[in-house]
Amino acid sequence: MDKVIDRVLVSEEDIRVKVKELGERISKDYQDKDLLVVGILKGALVFMADLIRAIHIPIEIDFMAVSSYGAGAKSSGAVRILKDLDRAIENRHILIVEDIVDTGLTLNYLMDNLKSRGAASVKVCTALDKPSRRKTLVTPDYNGFTIPDEFVIGYGLDYAEQYRHFPFVAVLKREVYEK
Ligand code: 5GP
Ligand code: MG
Ligand code: MG
């Protein structure tokens, strides 16, 4: 692990405390609404699994998979749906669950896309927010941790499809992607 990790940014304990807090807020905010939680694969997998278990109102879940970064550390800017929702979402309250909001291009696309299908509301819960690189006006409604402009791995986030299983968020050593 030390070969690829520069330093740990968010520990397992930090995550545990924050997820509980987010679950409480979401449960309160949606207590009178019929909530569909939409996880964005693959990055949101770990956060989604933790978050839904911290929500104590009835919910349904679904998933979408979109392409963004590919194998490297730079954004392509292109968004493509690789896996769509299983069901229609007309008049449903949607909470998109993301691993990280960086430029915001992915989220911008997803929000427009889900709104155009007639959702009653579309909000966003992200584990991490990197606001310094934003290219759009989107702001997550719920955010775990605001982080500096560095490439992170773990807690669902990959580098070349690796390291998603690390239970914490860490900064990837520059030499790993600059060699
Ligand atoms: P955006 O469209 O906001 O620029 O980027 C969204 C996607 O890019 C995220 O869902 C994530 O897959 C990827 N991404 C952005 N920043 C990072 C990062 O620091 N580490 C990793 N592993 N992926 C990132
Ligand atoms: Mg993502
Ligand atoms: Mg990725």
Side-chain angles (χ1 to χ4, degrees):
M1 271 198 316
D2 294 344
K3 282 191 191 136
V4 295
I5 291 173
D6 181 66
R7 66 188 194 280
V8 173
L9 264 192
V10 190
S11 72
E12 269 191 90
E13 176 62 10
D14 292 344
I15 293 170
R16 204 180 54 74
V17 171
K18 184 63 76 174
V19 166
K20 191 157 187 290
E21 193 186 301
L22 289 171
E24 291 295 335
R25 277 179 56 202
I26 291 165
S27 303
K28 192 162 160 279
D29 293 352
Y30 287 92
Q31 57 187 334
D32 302 318
K33 294 190 177 107
D34 160 37
L35 176 60
L36 177 67
V37 183
V38 174
I40 309 303
L41 297 171
K42 301 172 208 171
L45 166 75
V46 182
F47 179 45
M48 175 90 167
D50 283 348
L51 184 69
I52 60 174
R53 286 177 293 175
I55 296 176
H56 46 75
I57 56 168
I59 59 165
E60 283 178 40
I61 66 168
D62 205 341
F63 295 94
M64 284 179 81
V66 297
S67 70
S68 52
Y69 271 39
K74 291 247 164 66
S75 177
S76 65
V79 180
R80 199 158 52 94
I81 295 180
L82 306 176
K83 184 235 173 284
D84 207 346
L85 297 172
D86 288 342
R87 296 218 241 155
I89 54 165
E90 231 176 315
N91 303 320
R92 303 288 310 265
H93 292 281
I94 311 295
L95 181 65
I96 298 173
V97 176
E98 263 285 23
D99 50 359
I100 187 166
V101 183
D102 184 16
T103 64
L105 291 171
T106 309
L107 200 53
N108 209 38
Y109 171 85
L110 283 171
M111 295 197 70
D112 285 352
N113 183 284
L114 297 185
K115 279 178 192 160
S116 76
R117 302 184 200 192
S121 70
V122 182
K123 290 197 172 180
V124 181
C125 179
T126 188
L128 306 169
D129 189 8
K130 225 194 258 181
S132 54
R133 291 188 4 117
R134 203 71 97 247
K135 288 184 185 151
T136 61
L137 289 174
V138 293
T139 323
D141 302 276
Y142 306 91
N143 171 35
F145 303 91
T146 299
I147 63 167
D149 181 14
E150 295 190 86
F151 192 82
V152 294
I153 51 168
Y155 202 59
L157 290 130
D158 74 307
Y159 173 66
E161 292 303 326
Q162 293 193 68
Y163 320 121
R164 292 191 196 275
H165 62 105
F166 289 174
F168 45 77
V169 177
V171 175
L172 182 67
K173 273 191 181 158
R174 293 195 81 92
E175 63 234 47
V176 177
Y177 58 91
E178 278 178 353
K179 68 176 174 223

